[in-house]
Amino acid sequence: MYFAVGWPKLLQVVHRDSRLVHISANCDRMLFVVLTQSTIGIWFCKPAVEIVSYRRSSCSIGDLGTNEMAQWKPDSSKIAVTTSKGYIIFYQIEFDKNNAKQTIFRKREDRPLEQRDDLDCHYVDCVPALTITMLSYLQVPGSVTGLVCLREELLVSTGRGILQRIRWSDGLVNSDLTIELASVPFSADLHHSRSSQLSNPDICIKALKYSPLLGGFTAVLSNGRAAFITARSLKFEPNEVVGVWSQEVTGATTTAVNHKYALMAFGCTSGEGVVCHLDELTGALVLSHRLVISSKDYPDAGQVCGAVSQMKWTPDGTALAMSWERGGFSVWSVFGSLLLLSIGIDTGQSISDSNSGHPKLKIKSMEWGSEGYYLWMVCERLHCTPPDGATNSSERSGSNSSVGDPSSSSPPQSQQVPGVDLIQLQFIKSSLAVNRCMTNHIHLLLQGEDRLYLNPEESSVQVFGSSPSLPQQAPSISPTAFVGNKQWHVMHIPHTYLMHNWPIRYAAMSMSGHNVAVAGKTGLAHYSLSSRKWKLFGNETQERDMVVTSGGLTWWRDFICVACYNLLDQRDEIRFYPRDCKLDNTFAHVTRIPSQVLLMNTYVDLLIVLCADCHIVLYSVQQKRIQHTPTIALNKIQEFALNKIQEFAIENFVPHPANVVAVMLTSLRTDAGSAKVASESKEAESILINVAGRLLLFQTDRSASAGKAANDREKWLTFNPPVIVASSVESMWLNAHSSHLKPHLTEALWLGCGAAGMKVWLPLQPKDEGIKSKGFLSKRIMLPFTIDIYPLAMLFEAGIILGANSEAVSYPSHGDTPDDCWPYLQLERTSQVYLHHILRQLLRRNLGVHALEVARSCTDLPYFPHVLELLIHEVLEEEATSKEPIPDALLPRVVAFVEEFPEYLQTIAHCARKSDVAVWQYFFTVVGNPVDLFQECLMSKRLYTAASYLIILQNLEKSCLARQHASLLLDAALEQFAWDLARDLIRFLSAIDPADDEESSTAMRRVRQNSTSKYPVHYPSPPVTPEDSDPYMYPPVVRGRSISKDDPGKDSSKAKEKSKTFARGDSFAGSKSRHTSGGLDSPDKMNVDAILNRHACRLLSSYRLFDLACFAANLEDYQLVSWLRKERLRSAKIDDFVSALKKLHEDFHWPLPILSLGALRHISSVASLESHSSLMDQGSQRSKLEGLEASSASSSVDKLTSNSANVSDTDAVGVRPEDGSLPPAEYSDAGSLLEEVDSIDSSSWSDAVYLSELDQLSVDLVNRGPAESDLRLRYLFQILVEAGCLEWSALVTLILRDSVLFLRVLTMASQTDAPPEAILRLNNGLAAFEAWTNTDCPGYRPFQIGLQPHIAILKDIKPKSCTSTQRVNLPKCSNNFALDESFSKFGRSGENEVGSQLKCERNMADTADVNHSGQEKSDQGCVVS
């Protein structure tokens, strides 16, 4: 509930000639008395300044002794100070009559001074001017050991075992009410056990605290025992006083009483705190919980810190501060959850001073400030003494400085002396600590003295649409809306409001999360997160005449519901202020309440109120809209009604109304109705009341209301006697709406129980067939679980708990400064998943069916696999590390439960990898053989999960077996295009050392000894050794990129330039070479190469050229050209030319060509021309075809240039401009070839030229493929030509329909080293292509007809008999393409975008003499950036 923030403030005391010894606050905690050994100082809370200081004379100190303790009178008009010599000195506190304004600073006061008989700081708007006067003193027999205030009397415990009562009025002892401790009977309880008096008369009371709600005192005796002293009447007559021992407390040192929760805390010499409560039935002190620093938080804290010295509850009773004698302090929640521990953060890395070996901070006295926002501490530590003249000598003003403030200058050089300082530590608290309204349950809202902290996402939360006739809907919160962001949205309260109403006392956020309301000392203000504007009272008088009481404030739709006290009319009221109107009483709906409102809450259209007379009142809230008329103000267009429904008393179930912590209406029930009816019902079924930590459930009596009419039932509800749901409840959360998708989580009751963790009252939803059965009883079950954070808010449907924590931030200090003791504390938001705790508790109780229902409703959560991992991991760690045998192990049930979900294999693998290897034996005994799990992952294609199992198998098996499994996984990864995984597996296989086999085997024998595993010791592994008939396993692969020396057409300089051109990091022609030792490949690398080559063969054999390119581009150092050169007669051969062409069209998303109208008219004439040409003799045919080749190539370039007006002469072959705005042009030569053979009349051509060009342009656009595919195909063509793959090279030219590239294929085929079988297969493939174009794809016919002369030349080529002089002198074209991450970023589907910008440049470089024409042709090149 409470979290420290910032740097503590070091307050400078005026008179530092004596040590600080004590600090005490008055009732409203606005004034503090600070005692030194010789002075009494009165401090104001805000600003923290010293108002007045009284210095005792040396004679007074010598006669009466030094100051020790102080106690305020309830009206703050007097102070009683005890001395070391057993005297009590009384001082009078009054306003300074000599000060005309009676304040130190500016003040606005409407009421005259004579109307105030005492010092009432509620009416003081700034620091008052006070005087302190000594009245009298009284000597007490023996030393004063304890001092408490009883209204108009002062109770003093002495060292002689006497309790004396001294009147505040005259300072005299009321001897008639003096109690001797030796005469008080003590017993174990108040009703049954026998009482006895103290055997030793010298025993006295060391510490004493009074609680009016408990009706007695908590006392710590000098013998170390703790007791509760009470009486039958409030007068505490000596003969009526009895005592009750605390059986759980030994070695008690101090005590503190919590009035709100009726708890008694005792500090012990062991450093622990023991908290007890009084049992109502037996009257005995029962242990509630212990305050123990766990070894996880700080080891051996009791020995380091010593005995407990101080204990102080916060003003609201929700937190306890505890300090130790040797130093350090801690803050705990009301039921024992540790919120802050100073010894872990005092000095950063070390908790101890290097000289003394103890913590540097030692608290002698402490007190909580107003509303618990500050903790004032008198601390003894080593500090830097301020330089001379730095101390302010004025008695009416003080100064404060921030310890460790980075903005301040470096501390002055001074000598360190031990001393005592007055330090002020700031705190932030949850709004649920004081205002437990329903709307704060789903929002993480923290409040400080002048600011609010909330999640930054809450300003953007969307809400369901609501209407005035329907109940307010809860916000629709994304499951991960508040997860991951640890920052805060800090809203500062306007200074205009805080100037008169400091501090903030209550805060409430609307259900939608868009509006926040706050209330200070008087009045209220609200803020809109959408408009980012505050609304304050325009009339300051109305603001100052209204005080928000302990009932707080809440939201109902767009109205602020306020429980307040009207100072002007002296009455209690409930007011509703509309959000959209001005903040003014004119627009407020006011309802008078007979007594003070202690608690208030809303549910749908009902308002529940708990009054000080212990009565609960139910109201119905209605809002009616009326038609707007000109006579009605714009802000007053709504009619509001608050009608009283019912009132009933609960004094028989509540010891005191102040002990009621929270009250709310709910639809929860324990006995009747089906789950469907309960979830759809919006009526209030029960009342939940938290009475001092015990949660009571008042359910409506349906039998009594069954006979009533519907309208009667709305007016009156009958409740059964209460049922205790849980105990030690600090906070409770209920969802405002229920969801049919997640009924278990949205209809559950969530309880925060301090040190006991959390509890959930979970509904067990019936099956569908069970709903139809009559008389079904809806059951609930209470499930406890522990968490690592302090819960502040619940995300019901997301399965997440939100909390906060104070994190220390260390800054570098210069030398030995106060920074070494105090780091900067910042508020950090925390969160935790709780779903696995619920599933575990259900499985432990054999409620697996309900656990499945809960889990299946949460499978949409993004972190659901993590929930399953946490479930298995926690059970595994608990059972595997247990020193004793577990009779009923939970892990088998948990594993069987997780097996119901598809994340099972992934969960097992991740859990095993995050666990210690020592627990694997027990774990895999339950889950099964990891080899079987690995193979199951391979069968289900969960490759990354299989990779996790591979790491496990590496630790369990020999290296050779791990290599076999990795090889299997690598094959599967290559087939599924998991390139990242494939690269990791290649590195994994290359890193395996065969020498590890023996070491791994020895380690596994050591792990498996005494094992009773269900699977055999030697896991069966599938054979991965290749068959002997496979010619591609373990080939002698050369890992360097080089050009074949057998190629006579390439010199060394050109080869180097070409290697540099193809070199790139991520492409399939990468130049990165692996580091090998001695120039030879190891067997592991040869095995990897064999796997890669085998996969490449499989791809190319199935005509998957695109997949082969992606494969080579995404794997490091794979030499595609070298491999293709070796495989050009094996896997690179094409048996079905047409099928391979179709596969290229499909993979590269290249459309099949269609014919234009002009091409259809001239196909017949072209065919007849081919028939006539075939009758020519061989010599003339060869000469004519050579001329046709040159003319067709020239015509193709000329036509492409004429059709591309935006392309320059140097880019005439479809070049992409520099800006990449135009796609590559089409490379069809069908039009040019038809122009050579078609004879068209000039007049008809001039008439149809426009239509013909338009028809040809439209066909070119349709036949054109994607630009990326064009570049890829051209680059692949260069690779295939370099590797000597005739068939694939020709196939690429066909899909591109580029005759210039086909000429390069002819040139390559005419070389002496061209394989004859490749030329034969190419001729057969072109023949099949011609037959296919004639029957199935006529769009290729123009291009095929144009290639007939080239094909005829190819048929005449005889590689074995050809010489260099007999080869046809065709144009030489050299294409150099460098493609950056083109295939590596392009998926198998071809739908991914290419990340790099592509440019294509074609340059005519080489010249060729074709028929002595002297024409120049250019090579084609493509450069990609």
Side-chain angles (χ1 to χ4, degrees):
M1 288 287 184
Y2 280 76
F3 309 96
V5 293
W7 270 293
K9 293 182 179 179
L10 177 62
L11 306 179
Q12 296 184 3
V13 183
V14 175
H15 302 288
R16 292 304 306 272
D17 54 350
S18 59
R19 286 176 173 269
L20 293 169
V21 295
H22 185 75
I23 183 173
S24 179
N26 66 343
C27 289
D28 55 10
R29 302 179 185 271
M30 301 295 289
L31 296 177
F32 293 83
V33 55
V34 178
L35 298 182
T36 66
Q37 292 179 342
S38 60
T39 61
I40 300 97
I42 306 299
W43 285 68
F44 195 67
C45 59
K46 186 70 174 182
V49 294
E50 190 174 10
I51 301 175
V52 63
S53 178
Y54 181 89
R55 178 188 292 272
R56 294 175 56 194
S57 63
S58 58
C59 296
S60 175
I61 295 175
D63 296 339
L64 304 181
T66 59
N67 300 330
E68 287 189 345
M69 292 184 298
Q71 181 65 42
W72 287 84
K73 189 181 178 182
D75 59 3
S76 303
S77 61
K78 292 183 181 180
I79 297 176
V81 179
T82 64
T83 64
S84 58
K85 293 186 178 182
Y87 287 87
I88 299 178
I89 307 176
F90 293 93
Y91 295 91
Q92 180 74 38
I93 309 298
E94 296 177 323
F95 282 102
D96 190 359
K97 303 289 185 177
N98 299 325
N99 193 326
K101 296 183 178 180
Q102 300 177 359
T103 57
I104 296 179
F105 304 115
R106 180 179 60 86
K107 165 182 165 300
R108 294 182 61 186
E109 182 61 58
D110 299 331
R111 294 176 176 83
L113 177 63
E114 52 270 13
Q115 293 185 4
R116 291 176 287 133
D117 298 332
D118 53 13
L119 181 60
D120 190 356
C121 291
H122 287 291
Y123 299 119
V124 180
D125 294 323
C126 54
V127 181
L130 303 177
T131 61
I132 179 170
T133 307
M134 179 179 172
L135 294 178
S136 60
Y137 62 87
L138 175 68
Q139 185 176 12
V140 178
S143 61
V144 179
T145 58
L147 197 65
V148 294
C149 182
L150 300 177
R151 297 178 182 174
E152 298 300 325
E153 292 180 330
L154 192 66
L155 182 65
V156 180
S157 62
T158 67
R160 296 182 180 180
I162 298 176
L163 295 176
Q164 291 184 340
R165 297 172 70 169
I166 303 174
R167 292 185 293 267
W168 281 105
S169 58
D170 53 9
L172 300 179
V173 178
N174 190 351
S175 58
D176 296 337
L177 299 178
T178 300
I179 303 173
E180 293 184 2
L181 190 62
S183 62
V184 176
F186 287 89
S187 60
D189 56 65
L190 294 177
H191 302 296
H192 304 288
S193 62
R194 179 180 299 179
S195 60
S196 62
Q197 297 179 352
L198 297 176
S199 59
N200 187 359
D202 296 333
I203 296 177
C204 64
I205 296 178
K206 292 173 51 180
L208 189 68
K209 294 297 179 182
Y210 173 67
S211 174
L213 297 182
L214 292 175
F217 307 89
T218 57
V220 175
L221 304 186
S222 58
N223 60 355
R225 300 197 66 179
F228 176 69
I229 300 175
T230 184
R232 297 182 180 92
S233 63
L234 295 179
K235 292 184 178 181
F236 278 89
E237 298 288 343
N239 56 352
E240 296 179 351
V241 177
V242 295
V244 180
W245 293 117
S246 177
Q247 305 293 334
E248 302 291 338
V249 180
T250 56
T253 58
T254 185
T255 182
V257 180
N258 190 325
H259 312 289
K260 187 76 173 177
Y261 288 87
L263 296 175
M264 292 165 276
F266 299 96
C268 304
T269 55
S270 61
E272 300 180 359
V274 180
V275 182
C276 305
H277 66 89
L278 192 64
D279 186 80
E280 295 181 356
L281 297 179
T282 63
L285 289 183
V286 181
L287 176 66
S288 174
H289 58 277
R290 294 181 180 271
L291 307 178
V292 182
I293 303 296
S294 64
S295 58
K296 181 181 67 174
D297 297 322
Y298 195 85
D300 300 329
Q303 298 179 4
V304 174
C305 300
V308 178
S309 61
Q310 297 284 329
M311 302 181 79
K312 292 289 182 179
W313 290 97
T314 56
D316 52 28
T318 58
L320 173 68
M322 183 174 70
S323 63
W324 293 277
E325 288 184 354
R326 297 180 184 175
F329 75 98
S330 58
V331 179
W332 308 77
S333 68
V334 61
F335 287 107
S337 180
L338 183 61
L339 302 177
L340 177 65
L341 182 62
S342 69
I343 59 174
I345 60 175
D346 282 349
T347 56
Q349 298 295 331
S350 175
I351 66 160
S352 301
D353 184 72
S354 58
N355 298 326
S356 62
H358 299 297
K360 291 183 177 181
L361 181 64
K362 182 179 179 180
I363 299 177
K364 301 184 64 176
S365 179
M366 60 183 175
E367 190 68 88
W368 288 97
S370 178
E371 301 297 328
Y373 290 128
Y374 287 97
L375 181 61
W376 296 61
M377 297 177 290
V378 175
C379 302
E380 180 179 353
R381 65 179 178 88
L382 291 176
H383 70 287
C384 291
T385 305
D388 296 336
T391 303
N392 190 356
S393 60
S394 174
E395 292 186 356
R396 294 190 178 273
S397 64
S399 61
N400 57 76
S401 63
S402 179
V403 179
D405 192 347
S407 62
S408 62
S409 59
S410 60
Q413 299 294 332
S414 58
Q415 184 180 2
Q416 287 191 0
V417 295
V420 182
D421 296 325
L422 182 61
I423 294 178
Q424 192 183 60
L425 181 61
Q426 186 179 4
F427 280 83
I428 299 294
K429 64 180 180 180
S430 172
S431 60
L432 290 175
V434 289
N435 191 30
R436 303 175 185 271
C437 59
M438 188 74 173
T439 56
N440 286 350
H441 285 191
I442 60 176
H443 303 288
L444 183 54
L445 177 63
L446 304 181
Q447 62 186 61
E449 57 170 349
D450 58 354
R451 67 197 64 187
L452 299 177
Y453 291 78
L454 66 151
N455 285 333
E457 298 94 342
E458 293 191 0
S459 59
S460 60
V461 171
Q462 301 295 328
V463 298
F464 291 109
S466 60
S467 61
S469 60
L470 296 178
Q472 184 180 6
Q473 300 292 335
S476 176
I477 303 177
S478 173
T480 58
F482 303 147
V483 182
N485 193 342
K486 293 187 177 183
Q487 302 300 321
W488 295 92
H489 183 189
V490 182
M491 296 189 305
H492 292 268
I493 311 301
H495 177 70
T496 307
Y497 180 75
L498 285 178
M499 184 172 56
H500 304 297
N501 302 294
W502 180 93
I504 296 301
R505 299 170 59 232
Y506 305 102
M509 178 169 283
S510 63
M511 191 71 73
S512 63
H514 293 165
N515 301 280
V516 182
V518 296
K521 185 171 63 176
T522 60
L524 60 92
H526 64 91
Y527 177 80
S528 174
L529 275 74
S530 57
S531 63
R532 298 184 179 181
K533 292 183 179 179
W534 283 93
K535 280 191 178 181
L536 308 178
F537 271 97
N539 190 337
E540 187 178 350
T541 304
Q542 294 181 2
E543 179 183 88
R544 295 173 60 84
D545 288 339
M546 182 189 70
V547 177
V548 178
T549 60
S550 59
L553 69 163
T554 185
W555 286 85
W556 182 81
R557 296 186 183 176
D558 290 334
F559 288 84
I560 307 172
C561 181
V562 184
C564 61
Y565 181 77
N566 192 333
L567 297 176
L568 186 62
D569 297 335
Q570 300 293 313
R571 66 181 187 183
D572 291 280
E573 299 173 344
I574 293 179
R575 299 184 181 182
F576 283 82
Y577 289 92
R579 177 182 60 86
D580 298 330
C581 300
K582 294 181 179 180
L583 197 53
D584 194 278
N585 293 341
T586 307
F587 307 109
H589 181 276
V590 181
T591 301
R592 183 173 181 177
I593 304 299
S595 60
Q596 180 184 353
V597 177
L598 299 182
L599 291 171
M600 181 178 60
N601 218 327
T602 57
Y603 175 78
V604 191
D605 291 337
L606 295 177
L607 175 68
I608 182 171
V609 176
L610 174 64
C611 300
D613 56 0
C614 219
H615 281 213
I616 288 182
V617 186
L618 297 179
Y619 294 90
S620 66
V621 188
Q622 297 180 357
Q623 176 188 2
K624 299 180 181 179
R625 294 186 178 274
I626 59 178
Q627 295 181 356
H628 172 68
T629 60
T631 59
I632 301 178
L634 293 177
N635 289 329
K636 201 173 183 179
I637 60 174
Q638 297 176 343
E639 181 179 351
F640 192 89
L642 184 66
N643 301 320
K644 182 178 179 180
I645 298 178
Q646 183 179 356
E647 179 179 356
F648 58 94
I650 59 171
E651 63 268 8
N652 295 331
F653 312 105
V654 176
H656 193 279
N659 294 126
V660 180
V661 180
V663 58
M664 66 174 60
L665 284 167
T666 176
S667 60
L668 299 180
R669 290 194 66 87
T670 61
D671 53 356
S674 65
K676 183 178 180 180
V677 175
S679 61
E680 295 178 356
S681 175
K682 295 298 181 181
E683 296 182 358
E685 295 285 348
S686 57
I687 298 177
L688 282 172
I689 302 178
N690 186 355
V691 183
R694 293 179 303 163
L695 190 59
L696 305 181
L697 178 65
F698 293 82
Q699 299 184 81
T700 57
D701 189 358
R702 290 184 172 179
S703 61
S705 59
K708 298 182 180 181
N711 54 358
D712 294 337
R713 187 181 178 184
E714 292 178 359
K715 295 181 180 180
W716 191 265
L717 297 175
T718 304
F719 291 93
N720 292 322
V723 177
I724 299 179
V725 178
S727 59
S728 301
V729 177
E730 293 183 0
S731 304
M732 54 182 175
W733 296 270
L734 275 172
N735 197 9
H737 74 290
S738 60
S739 172
H740 67 281
L741 298 178
K742 299 178 181 179
H744 298 84
L745 302 183
T746 57
E747 297 179 10
L749 173 64
W750 305 86
L751 306 175
C753 301
M758 289 193 66
K759 297 179 181 179
V760 54
W761 203 25
L762 194 70
L764 301 181
Q765 298 291 341
K767 298 181 179 179
D768 295 339
E769 59 270 11
I771 297 178
K772 301 178 182 179
S773 61
K774 297 182 180 180
F776 179 83
L777 299 181
S778 178
K779 298 180 181 179
R780 287 181 175 267
I781 185 172
M782 185 69 70
L783 303 176
F785 58 92
T786 59
I787 57 176
D788 298 329
I789 66 174
Y790 187 81
L792 295 177
M794 298 289 299
L795 302 182
F796 302 97
E797 298 185 26
I800 293 176
I801 305 171
L802 299 181
N805 188 25
S806 296
E807 290 291 335
V809 180
S810 299
Y811 288 90
S813 58
H814 306 281
D816 194 0
T817 64
D819 298 357
D820 298 334
C821 293
W822 289 104
Y824 180 81
L825 299 178
Q826 67 179 6
L827 190 65
E828 182 175 334
R829 207 209 66 186
T830 58
S831 60
Q832 183 174 343
V833 178
Y834 63 80
L835 185 59
H836 62 286
H837 294 294
I838 299 178
L839 299 178
R840 179 180 178 180
Q841 294 297 330
L842 290 174
L843 292 174
R844 185 180 296 277
R845 290 161 175 78
N846 294 322
L847 297 175
V849 176
H850 299 283
L852 279 175
E853 293 177 359
V854 174
R856 285 170 179 168
S857 65
C858 301
T859 53
D860 59 330
L861 298 178
Y863 40 83
F864 180 74
H866 181 63
V867 171
L868 299 179
E869 291 179 26
L870 291 175
L871 175 62
I872 294 182
H873 181 75
E874 292 186 0
V875 177
L876 173 63
E877 292 294 329
E878 178 180 338
E879 296 185 357
T881 58
S882 177
K883 298 181 180 179
E884 300 179 357
I886 302 175
D888 186 15
L890 183 61
L891 185 61
R893 270 178 284 171
V894 171
V895 171
F897 170 79
V898 177
E899 198 171 358
E900 297 292 331
F901 299 93
E903 298 87 358
Y904 170 71
L905 295 174
Q906 174 186 347
T907 302
I908 298 299
H910 291 181
C911 185
R913 293 191 60 185
K914 296 175 183 178
S915 302
D916 190 76
V917 181
V919 304
W920 283 7
Q921 174 186 341
Y922 175 72
F923 184 49
F924 288 111
T925 302
V926 177
V927 301
N929 192 335
V931 177
D932 297 337
L933 300 177
F934 172 78
Q935 294 176 356
E936 187 175 351
C937 292
L938 289 182
M939 293 174 60
S940 58
K941 300 187 185 302
R942 302 178 185 180
L943 303 184
Y944 287 93
T945 304
S948 299
Y949 283 103
L950 185 62
I951 304 299
I952 299 173
L953 294 175
Q954 185 188 17
N955 294 306
L956 294 177
E957 300 289 354
K958 296 181 180 180
S959 298
C960 59
L961 297 179
R963 189 182 305 112
Q964 294 176 358
H965 295 302
S967 302
L968 286 177
L969 183 57
L970 178 59
D971 281 335
L974 295 175
E975 190 65 31
Q976 297 297 322
F977 310 103
W979 308 121
D980 294 336
L981 179 60
R983 287 192 291 266
D984 294 338
L985 288 171
I986 292 174
R987 288 191 291 268
F988 176 80
L989 287 169
S990 303
I992 293 180
D993 187 3
D996 294 340
D997 288 349
E998 185 64 27
E999 180 181 355
S1000 174
S1001 178
T1002 304
M1004 274 313 304
R1005 285 196 299 269
R1006 185 166 54 252
V1007 171
R1008 293 177 181 172
Q1009 60 184 358
N1010 300 327
S1011 173
T1012 57
S1013 176
K1014 295 180 181 179
Y1015 50 87
V1017 175
H1018 301 286
Y1019 305 133
S1021 301
V1024 295
T1025 305
E1027 299 179 0
D1028 297 337
S1029 59
D1030 192 347
Y1032 306 115
M1033 293 299 291
Y1034 305 101
V1037 180
V1038 180
R1039 304 304 293 176
R1041 177 63 185 250
S1042 62
I1043 303 299
S1044 175
K1045 295 181 180 180
D1046 298 334
D1047 191 353
K1050 299 181 178 65
D1051 55 285
S1052 59
S1053 61
K1054 197 168 185 178
K1056 292 181 180 179
E1057 182 181 357
K1058 189 161 187 141
S1059 291
K1060 185 176 181 181
T1061 304
F1062 286 102
R1064 56 190 181 85
D1066 295 330
S1067 66
F1068 54 80
S1071 63
K1072 294 182 181 179
S1073 61
R1074 291 179 181 155
H1075 301 283
T1076 58
S1077 58
L1080 297 176
D1081 292 331
S1082 64
D1084 291 333
K1085 292 183 179 180
M1086 295 178 62
N1087 185 25
V1088 173
D1089 295 338
I1091 296 174
L1092 300 180
N1093 293 337
R1094 182 177 57 191
H1095 182 72
C1097 292
R1098 188 161 52 248
L1099 293 177
L1100 199 58
S1101 299
S1102 57
Y1103 309 141
R1104 294 159 61 182
L1105 183 63
F1106 181 85
D1107 293 342
L1108 178 65
C1110 294
F1111 159 77
N1114 285 277
L1115 295 184
E1116 299 175 357
D1117 309 334
Y1118 190 77
Q1119 305 300 325
L1120 183 61
V1121 175
S1122 301
W1123 179 83
L1124 286 174
R1125 185 178 291 112
K1126 298 172 185 177
E1127 298 294 328
R1128 58 179 178 174
L1129 298 180
R1130 292 182 291 189
S1131 59
K1133 64 182 181 180
I1134 302 178
D1135 297 328
D1136 191 343
F1137 211 74
V1138 176
S1139 298
L1141 182 61
K1142 292 180 180 179
K1143 187 64 176 177
L1144 286 181
H1145 276 282
E1146 177 185 353
D1147 291 346
F1148 286 90
H1149 298 275
W1150 199 275
L1152 291 173
I1154 60 175
L1155 288 177
S1156 62
L1157 296 178
L1160 289 174
R1161 287 198 303 266
H1162 302 303
I1163 283 180
S1164 58
S1165 61
V1166 173
S1168 61
L1169 178 62
E1170 291 178 347
S1171 176
H1172 178 71
S1173 300
S1174 61
L1175 301 177
M1176 299 173 60
D1177 60 333
Q1178 186 69 22
S1180 61
Q1181 183 185 18
R1182 174 66 58 86
S1183 175
K1184 186 174 182 178
L1185 286 178
E1186 289 179 354
L1188 183 61
E1189 290 168 358
S1191 61
S1192 63
S1194 176
S1195 301
S1196 175
V1197 175
D1198 294 340
K1199 181 172 180 58
L1200 185 61
T1201 306
S1202 63
N1203 291 336
S1204 303
N1206 295 330
V1207 182
S1208 61
D1209 294 337
T1210 58
D1211 298 332
V1213 198
V1215 199
R1216 190 168 187 171
E1218 290 294 332
D1219 59 352
S1221 58
L1222 294 177
E1226 187 68 36
Y1227 302 101
S1228 174
D1229 295 300
S1232 61
L1233 291 176
L1234 291 174
E1235 288 177 2
E1236 295 289 339
V1237 296
D1238 195 9
S1239 57
I1240 304 177
D1241 185 70
S1242 60
S1243 60
S1244 61
W1245 170 260
S1246 60
D1247 295 338
V1249 62
Y1250 177 76
L1251 294 178
S1252 177
E1253 291 183 354
L1254 182 61
D1255 180 36
Q1256 183 63 33
L1257 180 61
S1258 62
V1259 171
D1260 290 343
L1261 292 176
V1262 172
N1263 294 341
R1264 181 181 301 167
E1268 294 85 356
S1269 299
D1270 182 270
L1271 294 177
R1272 291 190 178 97
L1273 287 169
R1274 293 183 180 277
Y1275 182 59
L1276 283 174
F1277 177 79
Q1278 299 299 322
I1279 297 297
L1280 295 171
V1281 168
E1282 185 179 356
C1285 298
L1286 285 176
E1287 301 161 79
W1288 280 106
S1289 302
L1291 202 62
V1292 172
T1293 62
L1294 293 182
I1295 190 175
L1296 291 175
R1297 288 176 292 138
D1298 194 333
S1299 59
V1300 177
L1301 296 182
F1302 194 82
L1303 293 177
R1304 292 193 60 191
V1305 177
L1306 291 180
T1307 303
M1308 182 173 58
S1310 64
Q1311 297 176 357
T1312 57
D1313 59 346
E1317 58 269 24
I1319 298 177
L1320 179 61
R1321 283 196 303 269
L1322 180 59
N1323 286 322
N1324 296 335
L1326 291 175
F1329 170 71
E1330 180 180 359
W1332 177 66
T1333 57
N1334 292 331
T1335 58
D1336 296 335
C1337 188
Y1340 267 116
R1341 286 288 295 157
F1343 182 65
Q1344 190 269 336
I1345 293 175
L1347 288 183
Q1348 288 301 324
H1350 306 70
I1351 297 175
I1353 296 175
L1354 182 63
K1355 292 179 180 179
D1356 295 338
I1357 294 178
K1358 297 180 179 179
K1360 290 186 178 181
S1361 60
C1362 288
T1363 62
S1364 58
T1365 58
Q1366 294 173 335
R1367 274 181 277 168
V1368 181
N1369 192 11
L1370 297 176
K1372 182 191 297 182
C1373 300
S1374 175
N1375 291 356
N1376 296 332
F1377 292 87
L1379 195 59
D1380 185 11
E1381 298 183 359
S1382 177
F1383 283 97
S1384 61
K1385 292 187 178 181
F1386 202 77
R1388 177 65 182 87
S1389 62
E1391 298 177 358
N1392 298 340
E1393 296 182 0
V1394 180
S1396 59
Q1397 181 182 359
L1398 304 178
K1399 293 190 305 181
C1400 181
E1401 296 181 356
R1402 293 178 174 271
N1403 300 317
M1404 311 299 291
D1406 299 335
T1407 59
D1409 185 9
V1410 181
N1411 293 332
H1412 306 284
S1413 61
Q1415 298 180 0
E1416 294 183 355
K1417 297 295 179 180
S1418 63
D1419 291 343
Q1420 301 178 18
C1422 184
V1423 180
V1424 182
S1425 63

